[in-house]
Amino acid sequence: MMIKIKSSMGLEVIGTSDRIFEHIDEHEIFVGIGDNNTRQRIYESLETVGAHIPVLVHPSAVIGDQVNIGKGTVVMAGAVINCCTNIGKGCIINTGSTIDHDNCIEDYVHISPGVHLAGSVRIGHGSWLGIGSVVSNGVNIAKECKVGAGSVVIKDIIESGVYIGTPAKRLR
Ligand SMILES: CC(=O)SCCNC(=O)CCNC(=O)[C@H](O)C(C)(C)COP(=O)(O)OP(=O)(O)OC[C@H]1O[C@@H](n2cnc3c(N)ncnc32)[C@H](O)[C@@H]1OP(=O)(O)O
């Protein structure tokens, strides 16, 4: 049985996601889905039909000079992004994370709460950094990686996979 939700957090629910395309001329549309692959799939279908996709930045986030942020990316409360960093589209920069200078965060990455990235870090397309993980300066992480909660990455990760621990090692 399908339960019809009429409102959420004080906002009227106007339909399900499969009816989203009916609304692209009336509203900006933001994809608030945590799973990187699902977020990418829906984002791309919206992009194809010319939907207006905003960037969302919480007022308490601190964004430095010469920072570029792609459409469909959300920067949550207390996040700090330092100068000369590029962030792709459809990313989640989650609560209280810090991304230092000259980083390159590719599309559809999720930086979980409390992650710290040092200077000149590169995070590949679709990767997910678990809560409280740390990446040392100058380190590159390949596309579609998962880095476990609390892990510390001190060397480049060149193959997609799941990495855990301090220092981070490949789980699978
Ligand atoms: C607002 C939000 O909620 S944002 C989302 C925040 N959530 C997160 O950050 C979660 C991050 N996810 C993790 O850390 C997960 O444990 C993953 C993705 C790394 C691995 O998950 P799974 O594949 O399900 O691994 P699983 O739980 O089976 O563990 C496999 C082994 O790795 C170990 N392990 C798993 N995660 C970690 C970790 N973060 N650090 C150290 N060891 C770990 C387990 O203890 C287990 O070891 P064992 O075989 O010796 O018992």
Side-chain angles (χ1 to χ4, degrees), residues 8 16 21 35 41-42 47 64 92 94 102 117 127 140 170:
S8 175
T16 54
F21 298 99
D35 178 79
R41 182 170 48 75
I42 297 176
E47 204 178 31
I92 303 171
N94 224 321
D102 298 291
L117 307 183
S127 284
N140 301 300
R170 189 166 188 169

Side-chain angles (χ1 to χ4, degrees), residues 14 40 60-61 64-65 80 88 97 103 118 120 123 132:
I14 60 173
Q40 175 174 353
S60 69
D65 286 345
V80 177
S97 57
N103 274 225
S120 305
I123 309 292

Side-chain angles (χ1 to χ4, degrees), residues 2 5-6 12-20 22-23:
M2 186 142 125
I5 298 169
K6 296 209 168 106
E12 184 192 357
V13 173
I14 60 173
T16 54
S17 5
D18 48 0
R19 293 184 51 199
I20 201 167
E22 296 167 27
H23 301 285

Side-chain angles (χ1 to χ4, degrees), residues 94 110 112-113 128-131 146-151 162-165 171-172:
N94 224 321
H110 181 180
S112 293
W128 175 31
L129 272 64
I131 188 162
K146 281 184 188 168
V147 173
S151 301
V162 181
Y163 294 81
I164 54 167
L171 174 67
R172 62 173 183 275

Side-chain angles (χ1 to χ4, degrees), residues 65-95:
D65 286 345
Q66 297 176 51
V67 168
N68 299 307
I69 303 177
K71 286 182 182 174
T73 286
V74 59
V75 182
M76 304 288 265
V80 177
I81 304 173
N82 273 344
C83 70
C84 312
T85 278
N86 287 313
I87 299 190
K89 60 187 177 183
C91 294
I92 303 171
I93 310 302
N94 224 321
T95 316

